[in-house]
Amino acid sequence: MDAQNTEAIVPRNLHFEFDETLPAYWHSNNPAITSYYDALSFTFPEGERFFIDSVKRYRNCGSPKLQEQIAAFITQESLHTREHLAFNRIATDHGYDLKPIDNFLKRRLGWARSRSHIKQLAATMALEHFTAILAHALLEDPAYIDQAPEPIQRLWRWHAIEEIEHKAVAFDTFMAAAKNMSPLRRWFMRSAVMVFATVLFLHTIFLGAKVLFRQDGINTPKTWLRFLNYVFVKPGMFRRVLDAYFTFYKPGFHPWHVDDRRLIAEFIPSIAA
Ligand SMILES: [Fe+2]
Ligand SMILES: [Fe+2]
């Protein structure tokens, strides 16, 4: 399946109400589980701005169809940032100081922005693969998030739907931008950047969780065992996406080789207010 016949990319300008009645441990009253989603969400505003800037530089490289998709991608990511900033305020309203995370992300992305433009685009392509496979997992098994308060469920499902819709945009932009590279060099660049992005992504999520655990006074082996168990074992979202993760390294990979449009169709009704 190529970029011409994938799902339409439809930005949905949705607002989610997160009021003061939402508990700090909004997922199953469990700080280890809640911190996984919170840590992911803390990365989105800075991360998505980086994605937008990386892709925007190459917006004139591809076909008119791809240019339209880039415009829709930018709108979707901007809306995700706006709503995740609102979601992240649940943590600050409960007294967490997110400055250590914000400062760390600014430093890390500042460093990323000092790399070449094509490497920044490759990093965006790699991280968009992460968001697409995690989004697929989140929709595939409703149990991940169905313990959460209703506006939080809708936020994460809305975001997951749109990450799947635009999952090939950064990839297709990279392929258009790097069309003069040899296929071997292109493959090497995207694989090397993916290895690097994987290490940095995991480190960033763990750091986000650690900041929360520290401020709660529960930065203990017991909390970390619960966190690692949730992420890698039961239900083990990272374990479940492992096969999909590795397909990225195959020569000839394209995000739409996995056609998960059925998940979009299935969950669109659940995100309406
Ligand atoms: Fe997003
Ligand atoms: Fe995205």
Side-chain angles (χ1 to χ4, degrees), residues 57-78:
R57 287 189 196 103
Y58 292 98
R59 64 182 176 274
N60 297 324
C61 275
S63 65
K65 175 79 184 170
L66 181 59
Q67 291 179 25
E68 265 172 40
Q69 292 183 331
I70 288 172
F73 167 87
I74 290 171
T75 308
Q76 284 189 333
E77 295 293 32
S78 309

Side-chain angles (χ1 to χ4, degrees), residues 19-258:
D19 61 32
E20 61 292 337
T21 62
L22 292 170
Y25 303 151
W26 54 262
H27 196 309
S28 314
N29 196 28
N30 183 324
I33 299 176
T34 303
S35 69
Y36 166 64
Y37 295 95
D38 282 352
L40 276 172
S41 183
F42 296 156
T43 69
F44 291 145
E46 282 292 327
E48 292 183 322
R49 271 181 222 128
F50 174 80
F51 296 170
I52 289 170
D53 292 342
S54 307
V55 169
K56 210 180 198 173
R57 287 189 196 103
Y58 292 98
R59 64 182 176 274
N60 297 324
C61 275
S63 65
K65 175 79 184 170
L66 181 59
Q67 291 179 25
E68 265 172 40
Q69 292 183 331
I70 288 172
F73 167 87
I74 290 171
T75 308
Q76 284 189 333
E77 295 293 32
S78 309
L79 293 168
H80 300 166
T81 290
R82 184 189 73 193
E83 293 307 307
H84 277 273
L85 282 170
F87 173 78
N88 294 347
R89 280 198 285 277
I90 299 173
T92 48
D93 286 350
H94 280 284
Y96 291 101
D97 176 10
L98 301 186
K99 267 194 224 81
I101 301 167
D102 289 341
N103 292 341
F104 170 81
L105 285 166
K106 282 202 174 84
R107 276 199 308 278
R108 176 150 281 177
L109 286 161
W111 173 83
R113 285 175 191 275
S114 73
R115 306 290 96 190
S116 69
H117 288 171
I118 194 71
K119 281 191 184 148
Q120 291 185 48
L121 180 60
T124 297
M125 166 179 61
L127 291 165
E128 280 286 291
H129 182 60
F130 262 108
T131 57
I133 60 180
L134 293 174
H136 179 109
L138 189 92
L139 294 181
E140 184 96 291
D141 184 354
Y144 278 118
I145 202 81
D146 63 7
Q147 300 296 314
E150 192 261 336
I152 298 180
Q153 289 187 36
R154 286 177 52 232
L155 167 79
W156 285 88
R157 292 198 169 117
W158 164 72
H159 197 165
I161 285 168
E162 297 198 348
E163 288 304 320
I164 292 175
E165 275 181 352
H166 73 225
K167 66 178 177 172
V169 174
F171 185 92
D172 290 338
T173 307
F174 174 81
M175 294 306 272
K179 62 177 178 292
N180 294 328
M181 272 185 207
S182 70
L184 183 65
R185 180 144 178 258
R186 232 172 15 222
W187 175 82
F188 184 77
M189 181 183 278
R190 71 181 173 85
S191 300
V193 170
M194 181 51 127
V195 170
F196 211 66
T198 303
V199 174
L200 296 185
F201 174 74
L202 291 176
H203 177 230
T204 305
I205 299 305
F206 287 9
L207 190 107
K210 186 170 152 190
V211 167
L212 296 176
F213 295 159
R214 267 205 182 136
Q215 292 182 26
D216 276 339
I218 54 166
N219 188 27
T220 60
K222 189 177 163 198
T223 311
W224 278 104
L225 275 176
R226 283 183 172 175
F227 176 86
L228 294 172
N229 181 56
Y230 184 79
V231 173
F232 290 109
V233 185
K234 201 174 162 199
M237 192 186 276
F238 283 4
R239 173 179 56 78
R240 288 185 183 177
V241 301
L242 220 52
D243 284 352
Y245 166 77
F246 279 110
T247 60
F248 184 86
Y249 294 98
K250 281 189 189 155
F253 163 83
H254 188 274
W256 282 113
H257 287 164
V258 172

